[in-house]
Amino acid sequence: MALDMDKLNTFVGRFVGDLGATVHAGMVVIGEKLGLYKALAALPMTSAELAAKTSTDERYVREWLSSQASGGYVTYDEKTNKFSLTEEQAFTLANEDSPAYLPGAFELALGSLAAVPRITESFRTGAGMGWHEHNEGVFHGCEKFFRPGYAANLVTSWIPALDGVQQKLEEGAQVADVGCGKGASTILMAKAFPKSRFVGFDSHDQSIAGARDSAKRQGIGDSVNFEVAKAKVYPGKDYDFVAVFDCLHDMGDPVGAATHVLKSLRKDGTWMIVEPFANDQLKDNLNPVGRVYYSFSTLLCTPCSRSQEIGLCLGAQSGEARIRDVVTSAGFTRFRRAAETPFNIVYEARP
């Protein structure tokens, strides 16, 4: 069979783009950790000026700037030999409060890739890999990756889309954030609804320690607590509101977790389930967002579920039909899609 050279060249071009993006991820993490983006956001600089400003080595900085300019993450002015960030570049790379802050995604990616040797062996054995066994960059990157989306949507659109929940939170409610990680979602809600009381639960003790530190730094220790507990056994009952952010699909026994959520809720309580955006059919997920989530799911979500009891392995692209089946199998009688973004779907479940 003769090769179609146009198709071959198109595919090789895709490979070059992917290879550049892969190694570029490391460049973004370096730039974020060393404050290079934040410094560049202030004013245009040469490599020497940026190195002096950030107490880094000029030769390394020069090479880094060249890679960033090649990838379109930094702007280069050949007349002045200076580098800068456009408003859009600064918004996504230098402003941690931005809803489109990107560096955390790259830190999560690099941390996930550290597990490739072990996951490769898991393809042969079927063994799982617990969340706690991953590189530390996974935990930090995950919080940085998800926090901007939560900050942009949780209080302003997701909670208002739920039936009666915002009013309860404003008046004072008991809330459990299950699988809270380093506490970004819990803290956002606690700040927005000071009359309510929040408990964040996660099975990963290091993440809970980080959440406690973060709450203390932000001065909200009185309204939020963080405890180490698994989704199927977290303590407390008569919660007005339970939230699960981007982690139901990671659980080995999501039906068991859903059953426990139902038992922990008041009769008029609400469970909010935030999951990665996904359609029900594979053919409808074959797009850039699906590619990201299927890849993370291979490295993180599926091994995490496989490492636990049952090991249902929903995967990060499980879709609404499978989530509905999990929720209704646990005994919830009402389930609906309440909101969505290009990256998340928000479901509401009621007893």
Side-chain angles (χ1 to χ4, degrees):
M1 181 181 294
L3 287 173
D4 184 319
M5 295 307 296
D6 288 337
K7 290 182 179 179
L8 177 62
N9 290 331
T10 297
F11 185 76
V12 171
R14 182 178 299 165
F15 154 77
V16 172
D18 288 348
L19 180 60
T22 301
V23 294
H24 188 84
M27 302 298 100
V28 174
V29 172
I30 289 171
E32 195 268 344
K33 288 187 178 297
L34 295 177
L36 301 178
Y37 292 121
K38 289 182 174 63
L40 271 184
L43 73 165
M45 298 185 200
T46 64
S47 59
E49 290 168 340
L50 181 58
K53 181 71 174 178
T54 56
S55 300
T56 51
D57 180 82
E58 187 277 334
R59 186 63 188 89
Y60 278 108
V61 169
R62 192 192 332 158
E63 209 72 5
W64 178 84
L65 283 167
S66 298
S67 83
Q68 295 298 281
S70 298
Y73 277 46
V74 163
T75 301
Y76 173 62
D77 186 337
E78 62 183 58
K79 294 180 180 178
T80 63
N81 202 32
K82 290 189 175 185
F83 300 83
S84 62
L85 296 182
T86 65
E87 291 293 328
E88 294 75 20
Q89 289 166 338
F91 187 70
T92 54
L93 295 168
N95 181 1
E96 293 192 39
D97 293 326
S98 160
Y101 188 64
L102 297 177
F106 290 99
E107 185 174 1
L108 175 59
L110 286 186
S112 303
L113 290 170
V116 164
R118 179 163 171 181
I119 299 302
T120 302
E121 185 60 26
S122 294
F123 271 67
R124 299 186 176 98
T125 66
M129 182 175 181
W131 182 259
H132 64 284
E133 298 180 272
H134 280 278
N135 181 282
E136 196 173 72
V138 168
F139 317 132
H140 297 308
C142 190
E143 195 247 359
K144 285 183 181 179
F145 176 46
F146 286 114
R147 184 178 59 199
Y150 299 162
N153 298 291
L154 174 54
V155 173
T156 59
S157 60
W158 293 352
I159 287 175
L162 305 174
D163 185 16
V165 171
Q166 182 169 344
Q167 182 178 348
K168 287 183 180 179
L169 292 173
E170 290 172 345
E171 294 174 351
Q174 298 297 320
V175 182
D177 186 357
V178 181
C180 67
K182 293 171 74 70
S185 52
T186 325
I187 292 170
L188 283 168
M189 290 189 290
K191 283 184 172 181
F193 304 104
K195 291 184 179 180
S196 293
R197 292 295 175 263
F198 298 83
V199 184
F201 298 108
D202 201 280
S203 61
H204 185 231
D205 56 352
Q206 292 181 35
S207 290
I208 288 296
R212 288 169 177 163
D213 290 342
S214 183
K216 185 176 181 180
R217 287 195 308 271
Q218 298 183 54
I220 58 167
D222 292 338
S223 61
V224 61
N225 292 313
F226 291 99
E227 299 180 19
V228 177
K230 294 183 178 181
K232 289 171 63 173
V233 295
Y234 64 84
K237 60 181 181 178
D238 292 333
Y239 288 107
D240 299 290
F241 182 48
V242 175
V244 175
F245 292 87
D246 287 296
C247 64
L248 183 66
H249 63 271
D250 295 317
M251 298 177 188
D253 183 12
V255 176
T259 301
H260 186 68
V261 171
L262 181 60
K263 292 178 181 178
S264 75
L265 278 172
R266 292 181 182 273
K267 292 182 179 180
D268 62 345
T270 300
W271 182 22
M272 180 176 71
I273 306 151
V274 180
E275 279 286 297
F277 187 95
N279 297 295
D280 290 328
Q281 300 298 319
L282 172 61
K283 64 181 178 64
D284 297 320
N285 294 326
L286 301 181
N287 53 57
V289 173
R291 182 192 192 194
V292 169
Y293 281 137
Y294 279 124
S295 297
F296 275 130
S297 189
T298 304
L299 294 169
L300 297 174
C301 311
T302 302
C304 183
S305 180
R306 182 60 65 85
S307 74
Q308 303 169 51
E309 72 279 8
I310 308 298
L312 188 62
C313 299
L314 284 174
Q317 292 286 271
S318 50
E320 182 173 345
R322 292 204 72 192
I323 298 298
R324 178 188 295 273
D325 183 61
V326 166
V327 171
T328 56
S329 294
F332 283 88
T333 62
R334 288 171 286 176
F335 176 88
R336 71 180 180 97
R337 181 187 298 212
E340 64 182 69
T341 72
F343 294 99
N344 284 107
I345 299 178
V346 180
Y347 303 107
E348 178 183 26
R350 306 289 293 274

